[in-house]
Amino acid sequence: MQPLKKIVIYALVRGYSNPLNYFPQIIRSIFIKIAFRKIKYDQLIFHEGNMSLWIQFLYKKIFNVNLVKVSSSYFVHKNNAYKDMCHFQIIGVYPYIKDYEYAIRIDEDIFISNQFDNDFFDNLRNNNIDLCLYRMKIDKHKETVKYMPNFFSQEFNDNTLVEINMNHTGLFNFYNNFIIYNVSKLYTKQFFKNLDVIDKSEFIYKYRWGDSTILTALYLQDSLNDQKIISILSNPSIFHQSHHSLSSAKNNWHDYKPSNISEFYKNFNFLYIKTKKSYFALSSIFIIFLLDFLIRTLGIMKKYIFNKFNYAKKN
């Protein structure tokens, strides 16, 4: 049996015809180089085969990334790209990361300023930590909230999700656009068994169940028989561009805090971890955040003025 490789960083990215659309991916890659410069890691980029040749060259030669063309069988629902993404992230990614101790998902529009070194990962190992998160939220998607709790109750004889939904009108959710996890501790036999049941139900496509909510629900299911330790970044500075959200120590918990969920997650222990930050990356993130806000504001103003002009023209 081959010894485990230590760490892999990965993302599923899109291909674009407009070169400017690759800008966030390039900035993300620079931030990763800064954030993990003190440790050794492999990096995987999953794609559909439609990436421009110049960005492929940049990934391979500058950022030392291994490009992986994903089987087209994961992207057959052209009108359901989000569902295809969720299906791949929760099911399709495992064969590529199974030989690593820790996997780090950093989506193509996630920019981080936190710094990670060998001491950080030694801390995870020494404290037997399965996951490291920076944010939690409530999934209030209508069909997920309506069907997932009853599905877990009927298929797995577990009413925990039903109870959570009754008390919070939504489902507890790990924000996994940036997440660090111990691969073997997350993908247990029970996790795989339950995941297979969900996959065969095809509810990811029928009801648009998100990968983060599935991951959280299955992890909770696994915790009923085995106490889990989750670490929390207590000082995150992470910008999620597509959600236009900048997470800091003040807002990183979003809807949920550990004290609010202790009645349901009695087998979860939370351990806060503080990391150093790159002030270059931090200042760059704030600049990107402000530019993103300015561009969105100008877009709203342009649309408002255009609508006003058309209304005046018709009248």
Side-chain angles (χ1 to χ4, degrees):
M1 184 176 179
Q2 294 292 325
L4 285 175
K5 301 174 186 176
K6 290 286 178 79
I7 299 167
V8 62
I9 299 172
Y10 70 90
L12 174 64
V13 305
R14 299 174 183 174
Y16 302 99
S17 56
N18 185 348
L20 293 178
N21 289 334
Y22 287 109
F23 181 70
Q25 293 185 29
I26 296 172
I27 298 300
R28 165 194 174 276
S29 298
I30 293 172
F31 283 170
I32 287 175
K33 265 189 169 296
I34 297 172
F36 296 92
R37 67 185 186 276
K38 293 183 179 180
I39 64 173
K40 292 182 178 180
Y41 60 91
D42 292 337
Q43 192 172 176
L44 302 176
I45 290 291
F46 301 109
H47 64 101
E48 297 179 60
N50 57 349
M51 295 177 67
S52 300
L53 291 177
W54 69 269
I55 191 69
Q56 293 188 44
F57 177 85
L58 199 66
Y59 270 132
K60 291 177 181 178
K61 301 300 181 182
I62 304 300
F63 298 118
N64 196 30
V65 170
N66 295 314
L67 297 174
V68 180
K69 184 179 181 300
V70 178
S71 169
S72 58
S73 62
Y74 282 102
F75 301 100
V76 295
H77 302 79
K78 294 302 180 183
N79 296 324
N80 293 313
Y82 174 80
K83 299 175 184 179
D84 281 336
M85 179 277 293
C86 292
H87 188 237
F88 176 77
Q89 291 283 18
I90 193 66
I91 295 171
V93 74
Y94 177 75
Y96 302 99
I97 63 171
K98 62 183 177 65
D99 294 327
Y100 290 92
E101 181 183 10
Y102 287 100
I104 306 170
R105 173 178 165 180
I106 307 177
D107 283 358
E108 67 174 278
D109 60 344
I110 290 286
F111 309 135
I112 60 177
S113 68
N114 296 81
Q115 303 293 287
F116 302 90
D117 54 19
N118 287 316
D119 289 341
F120 174 86
F121 287 94
D122 284 341
N123 196 354
L124 298 187
R125 294 184 189 97
N126 295 338
N127 288 286
N128 199 31
I129 292 171
D130 298 348
L131 301 176
C132 181
L133 312 169
Y134 81 101
R135 195 177 184 189
M136 296 184 185
K137 64 185 181 72
I138 299 175
D139 185 349
K140 295 186 178 182
H141 176 250
K142 185 177 179 180
E143 290 186 317
T144 303
V145 171
K146 182 178 180 180
Y147 295 111
M148 187 180 286
N150 290 333
F151 179 87
F152 268 69
S153 178
Q154 293 171 10
E155 295 293 335
F156 308 135
N157 195 29
D158 175 25
N159 292 315
T160 308
L161 295 185
V162 176
E163 295 173 10
I164 292 172
N165 188 34
M166 288 174 58
N167 284 271
H168 296 282
T169 319
L171 299 178
F172 173 53
N173 189 304
F174 296 150
Y175 210 75
N176 67 339
N177 304 90
F178 170 75
I179 188 171
I180 302 172
Y181 58 91
N182 184 300
V183 177
S184 63
K185 289 184 178 180
L186 179 64
Y187 285 91
T188 63
K189 290 182 179 180
Q190 185 66 43
F191 187 96
F192 269 121
K193 181 180 178 181
N194 293 352
L195 182 59
D196 184 58
V197 174
I198 292 175
D199 189 25
K200 288 178 179 176
S201 74
E202 298 188 348
F203 286 172
I204 293 175
Y205 288 99
K206 185 176 181 179
Y207 296 133
R208 191 187 166 276
W209 287 0
D211 59 288
S212 59
T213 308
I214 293 172
L215 181 150
T216 308
L218 290 179
Y219 188 71
L220 167 62
Q221 180 77 17
D222 222 17
S223 76
L224 298 177
N225 300 314
D226 182 23
Q227 189 175 59
K228 303 293 184 181
I229 303 175
I230 300 174
S231 66
I232 309 298
L233 286 182
S234 61
N235 64 333
S237 291
I238 299 172
F239 179 49
H240 190 185
Q241 185 191 27
S242 63
H243 289 199
H244 313 293
S245 63
L246 180 63
S247 292
S248 64
K250 293 183 178 180
N251 71 356
N252 65 319
W253 280 106
H254 197 36
D255 302 310
Y256 268 115
K257 293 182 179 179
S259 58
N260 296 339
I261 60 174
S262 59
E263 59 185 300
F264 303 112
Y265 298 91
K266 296 176 181 178
N267 286 340
F268 283 5
N269 286 332
F270 293 91
L271 178 67
Y272 289 90
I273 295 182
K274 189 173 183 178
T275 70
K276 295 180 180 178
K277 296 183 181 181
S278 162
Y279 289 101
F280 167 77
L282 182 60
S283 59
S284 299
I285 284 175
F286 277 112
I287 293 171
I288 293 170
F289 175 74
L290 292 173
L291 285 174
D292 178 74
F293 176 78
L294 179 62
I295 291 170
R296 284 189 294 122
T297 302
L298 290 174
I300 294 170
M301 290 176 62
K302 181 181 178 181
K303 185 177 180 180
Y304 175 79
I305 294 170
F306 180 77
N307 289 338
K308 281 288 187 181
F309 176 79
N310 281 344
Y311 178 80
K313 191 175 179 180
K314 289 178 181 179
N315 294 277

